[in-house]
Amino acid sequence: MPEALQFDLALYPQPVLRKVAGPVEAFDDELARIVEGMLARMRESNGVGLAAPQVGLKQRILVLNPTGEPEDDITLINPTLVEKNGPRVKLEEGCLSFPEIYAEIERPERCKVEAFDIQGNPISGGYEGFVSRIIQHEYDHLEGVLLVDRMSPADKLKNKLALEDLIEAYKAAKGR
Ligand code: CO
């Protein structure tokens, strides 16, 4: 098994989080190392999902795990959300790129995804509930769409200071 790459998290408002990610072209050892590294970063950060832009890569790669059990790891390469349906549900979401920020986000209950696995085999599946929620959140990252864009004005106000702190921290790190 190829060795996992070591990744740090890209925190809001790092510009890479706003880029539209491009398709993975090669299903090679490098991709396997990236995916292993993303899974490791997700686990170490106690996350349930991670998109490649969150580790600084403009590529269409998602990893997720709704339970924390290793056998429940899901990797989606070049995913397409072919359908979103069902009742719209409001649920609190967090994001590893927005530490300590939570907001109620409304999304359709179900989604259908077509993607490729790490070897390049096509996969497709229908998801509902928590997994569907994670997939829709992570898919947003591939389009440069972030938690802050989907927040209600009330949640934006509630998280105003935390958001400002992130922006200040980013500016301070950049200025060093
Ligand atoms: Co996120």
Side-chain angles (χ1 to χ4, degrees):
M1 178 122 87
E3 208 180 317
L5 293 177
Q6 298 277 342
F7 289 124
D8 290 327
L9 285 173
L11 301 183
Y12 177 79
Q14 286 191 30
V16 67
L17 295 171
R18 286 301 189 189
K19 304 278 193 270
V20 176
V24 169
E25 309 277 1
F27 293 82
D28 54 8
D29 270 9
E30 177 68 8
L31 177 64
R33 276 195 293 273
I34 290 170
V35 166
E36 282 306 313
M38 286 175 62
L39 285 164
R41 172 43 58 216
M42 175 180 76
R43 273 193 286 273
E44 282 158 25
S45 304
N46 297 311
V48 293
L50 191 67
Q54 294 182 278
V55 295
L57 302 174
K58 285 177 260 180
Q59 297 193 63
R60 302 184 82 81
I61 306 169
L62 305 182
V63 297
L64 51 139
N65 185 316
T67 67
E69 301 299 328
E71 66 267 26
D72 292 331
D73 282 347
I74 298 175
T75 300
L76 300 173
I77 313 292
N78 298 343
T80 310
L81 270 181
V82 289
E83 214 177 301
K84 291 192 266 185
N85 53 31
R88 295 180 70 86
V89 180
K90 235 184 214 174
L91 210 71
E92 191 175 74
E93 291 186 14
C95 179
L96 292 178
S97 296
F98 291 80
E100 288 167 53
I101 292 176
Y102 299 91
E104 290 220 310
I105 311 286
E106 195 180 289
R107 297 184 192 273
E109 168 84 15
R110 290 185 285 274
C111 68
K112 219 172 261 174
V113 180
E114 289 176 358
F116 296 88
D117 69 13
I118 196 169
Q119 277 98 32
N121 304 304
I123 47 176
S124 70
Y127 300 90
E128 60 177 32
F130 190 44
V131 190
S132 165
R133 164 85 39 174
I134 301 170
I135 290 172
Q136 291 181 56
H137 174 112
E138 300 311 333
Y139 187 84
D140 273 351
H141 278 293
L142 302 182
E143 299 295 313
V145 174
L146 300 175
L147 196 62
V148 68
D149 307 325
R150 294 203 183 272
M151 269 183 205
S152 68
D155 275 331
K156 225 177 239 179
L157 202 60
K158 190 184 84 183
N159 288 302
K160 191 168 182 278
L161 286 179
L163 286 166
E164 282 170 4
D165 283 350
L166 281 174
I167 292 169
E168 285 309 312
Y170 170 70
K171 282 185 187 156
K174 221 177 86 177
R176 263 205 305 269

